[in-house]
Amino acid sequence: MAISERLTSRPIDPWHQEVAGASPYPSHASALPSRNPEPRDYDEQWRDASLGARILSLLPGALAIVATVLMATLAYTPPSMRGVLVGVGLGLLYLVAFRSPFESSVGGSVPTQPVLMGLLLATPLPGVGLTVLVAVLLGGWLDGRRGPRALLLEAGNALHVVAPVAVLWSTRDPGGMVQAGPAALVAAVAAQLLLDGLSASLADRWLGTPLREMVRPLLWTWKLDVLLAVLGWALVVAVRPHHPLALAVLAVPILLVRFFASDRETYLAQSIAMHDAYAAASAAARRDILTGVANRRGWTQAVAEAQDRVADTARPVVATVLCADLDRLKVANDVYGHEVGDALIRDFAQVLRDCVPSDATVARLGGDEFAVLTVTPSRRGPVDLIGLVQEAVQAHSSDLPVRLSASLGQASCGPGGCIGQTLIEADEASRLDKEGRRAQRGAGGLDFPPGAPGARGQGSPSGIRVFVR
């Protein structure tokens, strides 16, 4: 396998990317997925790379094209019809393997190594590099990489073939077929692995990946390549003489990889769908349907999480609770109808969300009861939630015939405190605020006397604006 394939990417199912955190640009066998560019940043990162890095990145592809063409032309051997069929068949199988990615802990991989061993042992050696080069370029073209730069980067994936061909060059017979013993084949695979590492380091220059980050992926790739090379070697030897149909056995590991990769992606997609459905149901169970803020269940969870933070005295924080009770909501419902009352509740919930800190929890605990919880570092002290809400309520305007107004109470607790007790104190402060403002308004009776214009069933409220305070 060629590590440099990570640059041109074998597409991997996006479901897998969400679970494994993989990049859309997976490696051939040992890429560094965290460093691979997102599609939208691909051209931008290339433009940002230095000229020297770009040249080094394109060097493996240029060398692969020159070397494979020279080997095929300078040592051309007329193949037999059987050789043509075997070569074409293995070339197509290499293309299939090249476009059959599966994901590992270090990136994406493609199982081309068994096919490469088949090409080395069952086809004329001078044409092996050209066959692989055509396969990888065609694979890139099918995957949408059709520009000159993209194809040149893709060609770098064929450079690793040059090393084993060079090692086995002197062992070929007059027909171009390899006649090598185990020692020569082991040396050929070792040379391929070393060239893999070199070409990867060059091809990755434009991404700026530190060499130390490539050690683990390189080792993983080399172990995988050795195992697959042994598999391909054994399969080719087992079917001698090299009948075209007999060599189809090399397709078995490729098809297995495609099957398992597809099955794994299906499993991941189902797992994510189930996770999303559970998360959506869980979130819905903690949300108030009318306002979209947290309900009592969501509030209870937020309080429990905040209590854990308050209890951690090593990182001192202050928890602040605000209790808010909408004024005269029942009167608004009785006079204008529950549609207006519901709109009033939604407006107040939106006001709370907009004015409190973004990390605060806003909850509707009952019909007209709301609460806000925020946790801040002790050095900053408690947040003045009452001031924020009062200012936002005064600035609020709407087409409703009822003006927003609420009784507010706030309490705080420091490190080691109890948020449950703080909630009781804030609720009591809100009750006292309501009683105090009632006393200021006086006992003037209902805001909307029976039969007044705007009362339910008494016609339109236009021209009369009633304020609930």
Side-chain angles (χ1 to χ4, degrees), residues 374-401:
T374 183
V375 180
T376 55
S378 294
R379 65 179 183 276
R380 290 169 49 187
V383 180
D384 182 16
L385 294 175
I386 286 182
L388 294 174
V389 174
Q390 286 178 338
E391 182 179 351
V393 167
Q394 292 173 1
H396 176 265
S397 63
S398 72
D399 295 332
L400 294 176

Side-chain angles (χ1 to χ4, degrees), residues 168-182:
L168 299 174
W169 192 258
S170 61
T171 68
R172 70 188 193 282
D173 62 16
M177 303 296 292
V178 169
Q179 303 294 330

Side-chain angles (χ1 to χ4, degrees), residues 82-233:
R82 173 177 294 183
V84 171
L85 292 176
V86 172
V88 171
L90 290 178
L92 292 175
L93 187 57
Y94 194 98
L95 173 62
V96 172
F98 189 64
R99 302 184 70 243
S100 301
F102 64 98
E103 194 143 339
S104 66
S105 61
V106 293
S109 308
V110 289
T112 55
Q113 190 71 9
V115 188
L116 176 58
M117 295 304 297
L119 285 168
L120 291 172
L121 297 174
T123 62
L125 191 62
V128 171
L130 191 58
T131 302
V132 172
L133 177 63
V134 171
V136 298
L137 290 179
L138 183 56
W141 187 85
L142 292 175
D143 288 335
R145 289 174 292 279
R146 301 173 183 177
R149 185 190 75 214
L151 289 176
L152 192 55
L153 285 170
E154 197 80 44
N157 298 316
L159 183 61
H160 68 294
V161 182
V162 175
V165 170
V167 171
L168 299 174
W169 192 258
S170 61
T171 68
R172 70 188 193 282
D173 62 16
M177 303 296 292
V178 169
Q179 303 294 330
L185 291 174
V186 170
V189 173
Q192 174 202 340
L193 300 184
L194 293 176
L195 189 56
D196 265 347
L198 177 60
S199 63
S201 63
L202 292 176
D204 211 32
R205 296 297 299 171
W206 71 284
L207 289 176
T209 305
L211 291 178
R212 65 179 180 275
E213 292 187 12
M214 300 188 68
V215 173
R216 178 171 173 263
L218 271 173
L219 293 177
W220 191 91
T221 302
W222 289 344
K223 288 187 291 186
L224 183 62
D225 276 349
V226 168
L227 293 174
L228 292 178
V230 172
L231 175 62
W233 185 356

Side-chain angles (χ1 to χ4, degrees), residues 384-455:
D384 182 16
L385 294 175
I386 286 182
L388 294 174
V389 174
Q390 286 178 338
E391 182 179 351
V393 167
Q394 292 173 1
H396 176 265
S397 63
S398 72
D399 295 332
L400 294 176
V402 180
R403 182 176 180 179
L404 278 183
S405 176
S407 304
L408 305 175
Q410 174 179 317
S412 301
C413 67
C418 176
I419 297 180
Q421 181 61 34
T422 304
L423 176 61
I424 294 175
E425 295 172 0
D427 185 58
E428 177 65 14
S430 174
R431 185 186 65 80
L432 294 176
D433 182 49
K434 180 182 285 290
E435 291 180 355
R437 289 187 301 109
R438 274 180 180 171
Q440 290 178 359
R441 288 197 302 266
L446 292 174
D447 293 77
F448 314 113

Side-chain angles (χ1 to χ4, degrees), residues 56 64 131 148 183 194 305 321 343:
L56 288 176
T131 302
L194 293 176
E305 293 173 353
V321 176

Side-chain angles (χ1 to χ4, degrees), residues 121-122 178-180 185 233-243 246-247:
L121 297 174
V178 169
Q179 303 294 330
L185 291 174
W233 185 356
L235 291 175
V236 172
V237 171
V239 297
R240 284 182 174 174
H242 308 306
H243 190 279
L247 286 177

